[in-house]
Amino acid sequence: MSPLASSQESIPSVYSIDSSESSSSSSARPSIHLEPLPAWRTAKLLPYELREHCIIYFEEGLYVPALYLLISLVTFGTASSTPTPAFLPPQQQLALAATLAIHPSITTRAQNEDRLQASNLALRYLRLILDLVGPINGNLTDAFAFSTVETSSRRGAKRRTTGDDLSPTKDDIHSINSELANAGSIWAKAQDFWHVVGWAFNCSLLHQRRWERWQLWLQYMIDVLESDWTLRAQMRIDDPDNEQDPRESSLMVQYLNGGIAPARQERRILRAVFADGTSKSTGEFPEIWRNETKELKKHTDMKKSEAKLNIEADVWGLYMNETSSSSDLEDDPAATSPVPAELETSPQTPFSDVSAPFGGPQSIVLRLRLLSLLSTVSVFLPQTFTPLSTLYDLYLEHFRPLPVPSFFTLICPSSMQYFHQSAASSITQVILRSLIASSAPPPLTDDLTQKDLERCYLPFPANTGMVSDNIKTAVEQGIEAREQKAKKAGKGRGKGRVDGEGERMWLKASAGRMKGLVDLVGGQEQRQDT
């Protein structure tokens, strides 16, 4: 059985553990403290007149003045020694801002400077809400909920015109009569958050221009998920006797409960995080908007488009047009890099470019942060998501087949820093136990110590003769054992083998690193003894 800490011992990355234990109870757990939380401001709803001004701006496609107004309102009073509550719009306007930050007609296909500026202002505004007001006071859990148009009364309804015989409902008052706020929004177009995650990571390998925008949007959303979870975890610590765990209402849990059968959902989530740009991945996680990756034709002149605006003549140009005509679009060869055929057919090499594993460093960081968040939820809410052992087995299914450079990219110390130390130890050992020879004794605890390395891992080769597996298990006895086993395997011609000079170079390099590590540890022990 894979060595895993119990859910009471594995603490996620947002926590630090106080080594002192309470003596009042023999079953007491170590004290858990969160990092200091920001001093977020309280929030209050915009007055009716200002809400109406913003709605009119949004409905007329005048996004820049609407967002400038909202930015000025949320930042008003921040310089005061006693900050006043921040003015926030209804959740419908926050949801629209999130769509404006990523929609292709406002970003990669923007037909005038105002529309491109609007996308940047939208992201800036959302960032200000997270930084100044926080995810709970900002009501981001409701604003960022995915839903279909049919069930989305909060976004799908048209605003009623006021009149003596009409009594508008609350939803009617706040709804926005705009395609991008309703059927064209990211919240209606995407199946759920993991659809967006999978498509965004597919773009990191296939569509670089779209990835430039998706990277910013996804980074913001992960910041929201982390902040929301951290705040609710602190609320749980402050009120441990409350029957309702605040973390159950977190945005992360909302995204995990997507209405799909739990076992299927868990695997689908991992496939989204490891989306690799292959046809299988793009089939499961397709583009969010139709023709999303297409570019404007080169003859489209931004200044010419802006010249069509004539308010006095009731000619609004592009401001009332939220989508691009298909006749104005064309494929951009530079933005669509097809996955080589050999990568489509080989399960051993699922990523398209080992020189930029997983779509580049920014993509790697975001993937790791999501994996860490999933681990955190499994520790504290295993019944809500999945037990930690099940989750790490799923991690193993995706880690183990990776080519050597991609494998090392994920398990190197700079990558493991995104996990809490206990989580990093558990994941590392789950992977190692699947690779190491069966003669290797199991570790006594889940905490990976120097003695565990010396006794249970370093002296032993991999459980197969594949060069790549022997590199991954990476004392002299262990180095020699790995080299001998790899030499024997090199004489055969097993079907599907991927061993080569490149991987043998990695094997030699791993031996050098292990020798250096042993020398370093030995030198530190000698200095401590003296």
Side-chain angles (χ1 to χ4, degrees):
M1 181 176 180
S2 299
L4 289 172
S6 68
S7 61
Q8 292 186 341
E9 295 173 339
S10 297
I11 309 299
S13 58
V14 293
Y15 291 91
S16 59
I17 305 177
D18 187 342
S19 59
S20 61
E21 295 190 23
S22 172
S23 58
S24 59
S25 172
S26 59
S27 61
R29 293 176 57 184
S31 301
I32 302 174
H33 300 289
L34 287 168
E35 298 295 333
L37 296 173
W40 283 311
R41 298 169 62 187
T42 57
K44 61 190 301 184
L45 187 65
L46 283 179
Y48 174 79
E49 293 80 5
L50 291 175
R51 295 200 305 269
E52 286 296 299
H53 274 299
C54 291
I55 289 176
I56 292 171
Y57 280 142
F58 281 131
E59 291 184 342
E60 300 300 333
L62 301 174
Y63 303 130
V64 171
L67 290 165
Y68 268 130
L69 176 57
L70 291 174
I71 288 173
S72 66
L73 290 168
V74 77
T75 55
F76 178 77
T78 54
S80 173
S81 57
T82 55
T84 57
F87 285 106
L88 292 185
Q91 62 194 34
Q92 289 85 347
Q93 296 185 31
L94 298 180
L96 176 56
T99 295
L100 295 177
I102 191 59
H103 195 279
S105 69
I106 316 293
T107 55
T108 48
R109 284 207 304 267
Q111 296 187 34
N112 60 48
E113 293 291 348
D114 275 358
R115 292 172 79 82
L116 187 59
Q117 184 184 14
S119 66
N120 296 329
L121 287 174
L123 194 59
R124 177 186 172 194
Y125 177 57
L126 294 174
R127 178 65 64 182
L128 284 170
I129 291 177
L130 179 61
D131 293 343
L132 299 178
V133 184
I136 295 182
N137 291 344
N139 197 24
L140 299 185
T141 302
D142 289 335
F144 295 164
F146 288 84
S147 57
T148 61
V149 177
E150 290 78 8
T151 60
S152 181
S153 60
R154 66 185 178 89
R155 297 193 189 109
K158 263 194 171 184
R159 273 205 318 146
R160 297 181 185 175
T161 56
T162 56
D164 295 337
D165 59 340
L166 294 178
S167 300
T169 65
K170 184 177 180 181
D171 280 340
D172 290 331
I173 293 174
H174 297 324
S175 61
I176 304 169
N177 186 14
S178 164
E179 181 182 355
L180 296 189
N182 298 295
S185 73
I186 188 172
W187 315 108
K189 284 291 186 180
Q191 180 180 350
D192 58 12
F193 178 68
W194 306 107
H195 175 189
V196 176
V197 168
W199 170 243
F201 287 141
N202 279 331
C203 286
S204 72
L205 288 121
L206 300 177
H207 309 286
Q208 286 302 308
R209 287 206 65 204
R210 284 304 292 161
W211 171 239
E212 290 173 4
R213 297 302 306 189
W214 277 119
Q215 174 197 332
L216 298 174
W217 191 92
L218 190 56
Q219 179 179 338
Y220 169 76
M221 288 300 298
I222 295 176
D223 288 343
V224 171
L225 292 172
E226 291 175 340
S227 297
D228 182 57
W229 178 272
T230 301
L231 179 56
R232 294 176 188 276
Q234 182 63 63
M235 293 166 61
R236 180 61 173 175
I237 292 175
D238 294 341
D239 187 13
D241 297 328
N242 192 331
E243 293 182 0
Q244 180 63 39
D245 190 335
R247 293 169 296 196
E248 294 278 5
S249 302
S250 67
L251 187 59
M252 186 65 177
V253 169
Q254 177 178 301
Y255 287 166
L256 291 174
N257 297 330
I260 301 176
R264 290 178 55 200
Q265 178 73 334
E266 295 158 8
R267 292 182 178 278
R268 179 173 173 273
I269 289 171
L270 266 294
R271 290 195 298 270
V273 176
F274 284 90
D276 55 14
T278 58
S279 59
K280 182 178 180 180
S281 183
T282 55
E284 184 173 17
F285 307 107
E287 62 183 5
I288 307 300
W289 291 278
R290 185 171 177 266
N291 295 327
E292 179 181 338
T293 60
K294 289 184 178 292
E295 302 288 323
L296 286 175
K297 289 184 177 179
K298 295 180 180 179
H299 66 72
T300 303
D301 191 333
M302 191 173 288
K303 291 185 178 180
K304 188 182 295 184
S305 299
E306 292 175 346
K308 296 178 182 178
L309 177 64
N310 187 337
I311 298 176
E312 294 181 357
D314 198 28
V315 177
W316 293 87
L318 295 171
Y319 285 94
M320 300 296 288
N321 179 20
E322 295 180 331
T323 59
S324 302
S325 170
S326 58
S327 62
D328 294 330
L329 306 178
E330 65 180 0
D331 291 321
D332 181 5
T336 55
S337 306
V339 178
E342 61 270 18
L343 295 179
E344 293 278 9
T345 58
S346 173
Q348 294 295 327
T349 56
F351 291 91
S352 61
D353 184 1
V354 294
S355 65
F358 309 100
Q362 294 85 2
S363 175
I364 292 172
V365 169
L366 296 179
R367 293 174 195 259
L368 290 169
R369 289 174 65 186
L370 285 172
L371 291 175
S372 180
L373 264 173
L374 293 172
S375 175
T376 300
V377 177
S378 287
V379 167
F380 290 102
L381 301 176
Q383 301 302 321
T384 299
F385 179 39
T386 190
L388 197 61
S389 58
T390 301
L391 180 67
Y392 285 173
D393 285 341
L394 293 175
Y395 285 8
L396 177 62
E397 289 181 11
H398 289 273
F399 276 72
R400 173 105 188 235
L402 294 175
V404 172
S406 300
F407 180 86
F408 272 100
T409 297
L410 283 185
I411 67 164
C412 67
S414 60
S415 295
M416 286 291 105
Q417 69 177 340
Y418 291 97
F419 297 86
H420 185 269
Q421 182 178 352
S422 60
S425 173
S426 295
I427 294 171
T428 301
Q429 292 199 70
V430 166
I431 296 171
L432 280 175
R433 298 308 300 182
S434 73
L435 293 167
I436 205 74
S438 59
S439 57
L444 299 178
T445 66
D446 187 54
D447 293 327
L448 190 59
T449 65
Q450 180 185 332
K451 290 184 178 180
D452 289 328
L453 284 171
E454 294 174 351
R455 187 178 72 90
C456 306
Y457 296 109
L458 297 182
F460 300 95
N463 54 19
T464 73
M466 300 286 288
V467 172
S468 57
D469 282 347
N470 277 274
I471 297 170
K472 293 173 184 176
T473 58
V475 131
E476 288 294 338
Q477 297 101 319
I479 295 172
E480 178 63 23
R482 283 188 287 275
E483 290 179 347
Q484 291 299 323
K485 194 160 191 177
K487 286 179 181 178
K488 292 179 181 178
K491 297 178 182 180
R493 295 185 178 181
K495 182 179 179 181
R497 292 181 67 250
V498 294
D499 293 354
E501 291 301 321
E503 292 188 340
R504 293 186 181 279
M505 179 186 68
W506 280 84
L507 180 59
K508 293 180 180 179
S510 69
R513 284 192 294 272
M514 291 310 307
K515 290 178 180 178
L517 176 61
V518 172
D519 292 341
L520 177 63
V521 173
Q524 290 177 342
E525 289 181 342
Q526 289 180 0
R527 286 192 293 272
Q528 290 174 355
D529 292 339
T530 58

